[in-house]
Amino acid sequence: MARQDEGVVRAPRETLETAQKLLDEGKPFHAHEVFEDAWKSRPEPERDLWQGLAQLAVGLTHAARGNAQGGVTLLKRGAERIAGYGDPYDVDVSGLTAWARDLTERLARGGAPVDPRAEAPRLTLT
């Protein structure tokens, strides 16, 4: 499957919509690439938010590929990175951190690959 184009500058809402569509299609690595573009192009105070979202997406990628430990590590790291943000751009920070915690616990118990489409989180409150 082809990768996302790199270096695309999107408005925050477009970033979230594009990433959500990719997550819903079971393409968390592609969503990670969209978040990576935002992390590299948004102002410094927002970069941890976008980097954390990228880490959550790549954590789901690891989990889907059967790398439970990699998934746990990145899901924890991403959740910690976004935790202090409130809900900028209607990002559901508390919902995403709860999702990451739940998936982390399940991965730590069983470690079986997960279905990325079935496990796709909701990024926004609306």
Side-chain angles (χ1 to χ4, degrees):
M1 184 175 303
R3 294 178 61 145
Q4 291 294 112
D5 291 334
E6 291 186 39
V8 178
V9 177
R10 299 172 183 87
R13 176 61 53 194
E14 182 184 3
T15 295
L16 292 164
E17 289 171 356
T18 301
Q20 186 68 66
K21 180 179 181 290
L22 291 165
L23 288 167
D24 292 346
E25 292 173 356
K27 300 175 184 173
F29 186 79
H30 294 76
H32 153 267
E33 292 176 322
V34 169
F35 287 133
E36 191 172 83
D37 286 339
W39 147 36
K40 292 177 179 178
S41 67
R42 298 298 303 158
E44 183 65 36
E46 294 181 17
R47 289 192 180 153
D48 274 349
L49 171 68
W50 301 107
Q51 186 176 23
L53 292 170
Q55 289 171 325
L56 292 176
V58 83
L60 179 55
T61 300
H62 283 296
R65 293 178 179 171
N67 179 0
Q69 184 56 50
V72 165
T73 298
L74 282 234
L75 289 165
K76 283 182 180 180
R77 194 176 296 158
E80 289 170 7
R81 196 172 294 271
I82 69 171
Y85 271 94
D87 295 319
Y89 306 113
D90 288 330
V91 172
D92 186 3
V93 171
S94 61
L96 286 167
T97 55
W99 167 82
R101 186 176 47 252
D102 176 64
L103 184 53
T104 296
E105 289 170 3
R106 287 187 286 132
L107 288 169
R109 282 194 310 265
V114 300
D115 177 350
R117 183 175 284 157
E119 296 294 339
R122 299 300 319 152
L123 298 173
T124 61
L125 296 165
T126 55

